[in-house]
Amino acid sequence: MSPAPIPLRQPGWPAGAIDQSPPVLLDRFEFAAPTAAMRLGEGWGFPEGSMRWSLGTSSDMIVMMSETGHSTADCRVLGVIEGAPYLGQNPRASQRVSVWVNGILQCETSLSRPGLIAFFIPDDALGQPVSISLDHPDALSPAAVGEVDDKRRLAFACRTLHLWSVNRRPAKVQPSPPAVAATPAMLLGGFESLGDNCEFGIAQRLSGSESLGLLRFTATPLASLVDMLLHELDSIGEPGNIELDLRGDPQEYILTEKRYNLTYHTFMYADQMPASRVRHREAQKLTLLRRRMLDDLRSARRIYVLKHNATLREEDVIAVFLLLRRYGPNRLLYVVPTDDHNPPGTVEVLMPDLARGYIDRFAPYDNAADLSLDCWLAICRQAERALPGGTP
């Protein structure tokens, strides 16, 4: 008799027209499908609901792909696995994973919550059976941590593997004439921050824009952002997920949304109102902002801004872009530090509706107001031109 399945809440990607949005979807593999076993090798469990556990320290699979139409001078292939790590009873733990394609290391990362494992498939691996191996040295037995009588060493509950054809080379955007938007406030009001910290939200404020945004002034780790988008921002605004800490002098309530590990200043103080009232007000505000963000995602009204003081992997940025496109024809601007080939204010298009901008410097995390406003304005001016919207 097979071991009892471990409960795991992972509903998957939001519904949408996955094969209509750029980049081009080549294949979708469901790990729990009846035919999945034909592609899976060692290191996998039985299907459990819509997912299948990777077991022990490694798991193998084979992907059949033809070379024609998948990899060209202009395109390459990206694989994205949706999975969730088994963490036992330690919510602060994580599981490491390395992805090998035909014996060549392509990705090393870790997951501490449901997320995406993104990796490129080398060109020379195409036109033949492609071997994908996952190494996961932190696999853990539920029985060992006293959770249930399941002695299997569980690593990741894998749901899907998507294979995408994505653009290989970015296209530079030529410097534009004066901004289409009449004022800096109107320009930056057409963008919305995806978190990391509040730098872009402060840039909007300094430009005169006070547009609402769930993540505008929120510390949002990339893993939390992916988890939110996978689960349609579920549970945000529930009072039980709100934790309040008093910090500073005078003592300010600092809010942590525990479901996704989001943190922000409330600018409300202990000598002004009790914690119960703050929690009630913030729950109402978060509920409103969640509803608004879902509406914005589905209407694709704004250009989303992703930044991180430490440069992110291009594969992870594309994976976030793909998640945004699950809601509607959304556009993403990813901002990175300038380099020798890209002056500050430069913007290049990575693929339709996805652009990368170059900034002279980010504000330090301990002083987000010390930002480069002129460069942010220059980047957004070019991005507005590079990402006009309307891509089906």
Side-chain angles (χ1 to χ4, degrees):
M1 186 172 71
S2 62
I6 307 301
L8 175 67
R9 184 184 176 283
Q10 188 186 2
W13 293 39
I18 194 166
D19 55 353
Q20 296 181 3
S21 59
V24 178
L25 178 67
L26 302 176
D27 193 13
R28 170 189 170 97
F29 172 74
E30 297 184 5
F31 284 89
T35 58
M38 293 187 295
R39 294 197 194 182
L40 300 179
E42 298 294 326
W44 296 99
F46 294 105
E48 299 181 24
S50 63
M51 57 203 70
R52 185 189 298 256
W53 286 104
S54 58
L55 304 176
T57 58
S58 65
S59 306
D60 304 317
M61 65 182 300
I62 297 292
V63 175
M64 304 299 295
M65 296 181 62
S66 65
E67 189 173 5
T68 304
H70 292 165
S71 179
T72 67
D74 298 321
C75 297
R76 53 184 169 170
V77 176
L78 176 74
V80 182
I81 295 174
E82 179 188 346
Y86 175 66
L87 303 178
Q89 297 176 327
N90 184 359
R92 298 183 182 275
S94 64
Q95 287 229 25
R96 293 169 292 168
V97 61
S98 301
V99 181
W100 301 75
V101 178
N102 285 3
I104 300 174
L105 181 64
Q106 296 296 322
C107 167
E108 290 182 298
T109 188
S110 63
L111 293 183
S112 58
R113 56 181 59 245
L116 302 176
I117 303 167
F119 55 95
F120 286 119
I121 294 181
D123 295 346
D124 59 10
L126 303 176
Q128 58 184 314
V130 178
S131 170
I132 300 175
S133 298
L134 308 181
D135 285 354
H136 27 75
D138 305 319
L140 183 64
S141 166
V145 297
E147 192 166 63
V148 295
D149 187 19
D150 187 342
K151 296 181 175 58
R152 297 175 301 169
R153 294 181 61 197
L154 306 180
F156 296 91
C158 296
R159 184 174 182 269
T160 58
L161 164 65
H162 290 82
L163 296 172
W164 302 87
S165 176
V166 301
N167 285 9
R168 186 184 299 274
R169 297 182 180 89
K172 286 286 190 294
V173 178
Q174 296 302 316
S176 67
V180 175
T183 65
M186 292 176 63
L187 173 66
L188 266 62
F191 293 76
E192 181 167 345
S193 173
L194 290 178
D196 182 44
N197 68 347
C198 54
E199 176 174 349
F200 187 71
I202 294 175
Q204 289 178 308
R205 174 161 291 173
L206 293 175
S207 73
S209 172
E210 290 294 354
S211 55
L212 294 176
L214 175 65
L215 304 179
R216 181 179 174 187
F217 296 116
T218 303
T220 312
L222 181 66
S224 298
L225 173 64
V226 171
D227 193 5
M228 289 171 54
L229 293 174
L230 281 170
H231 295 91
E232 298 185 276
L233 287 59
D234 181 56
S235 301
I236 289 180
E238 292 184 4
N241 289 333
I242 293 176
E243 182 175 274
L244 297 172
D245 295 316
L246 289 171
R247 302 180 195 172
D249 185 19
Q251 291 199 303
E252 179 193 0
Y253 291 106
I254 304 297
L255 185 146
T256 298
E257 201 285 334
K258 296 186 292 183
R259 169 65 177 84
Y260 298 106
N261 190 30
L262 313 177
T263 304
Y264 63 84
H265 290 269
T266 65
F267 299 103
M268 290 182 281
Y269 299 87
D271 60 357
Q272 295 177 332
M273 65 180 66
S276 58
R277 186 178 173 193
V278 174
R279 179 175 286 102
H280 177 73
R281 289 183 54 173
E282 292 302 304
Q284 289 183 316
K285 182 177 79 173
L286 287 170
T287 299
L288 170 66
L289 292 177
R290 172 187 179 270
R291 188 161 54 243
R292 182 183 178 91
M293 184 170 182
L294 286 173
D295 288 343
D296 286 345
L297 284 166
R298 290 162 182 156
S299 64
R301 285 191 291 260
R302 297 184 182 181
I303 298 173
Y304 288 95
V305 178
L306 180 66
K307 54 81 57 180
H308 198 284
N309 287 20
T311 303
L312 302 173
R313 297 190 317 135
E314 184 177 345
E315 300 96 306
D316 293 331
V317 174
I318 296 174
V320 170
F321 171 63
L322 295 172
L323 276 179
L324 292 172
R325 298 287 293 190
R326 296 295 291 145
Y327 291 86
N330 285 294
R331 298 161 287 166
L332 177 64
L333 169 65
Y334 169 47
V335 182
V336 301
T338 187
D339 57 35
D340 293 340
H341 305 289
N342 298 281
T346 301
V347 170
E348 55 187 7
V349 176
L350 302 179
M351 61 191 69
D353 293 335
L354 173 62
R356 178 166 55 209
Y358 292 86
I359 196 166
D360 52 357
R361 64 178 181 84
F362 286 122
Y365 280 126
D366 60 357
N367 186 11
D370 181 20
L371 56 86
S372 181
L373 180 60
D374 288 344
C375 200
W376 273 113
L377 289 168
I379 291 170
C380 291
R381 192 172 298 120
Q382 300 303 323
E384 183 185 49
R385 180 184 179 202
L387 303 171
T391 301

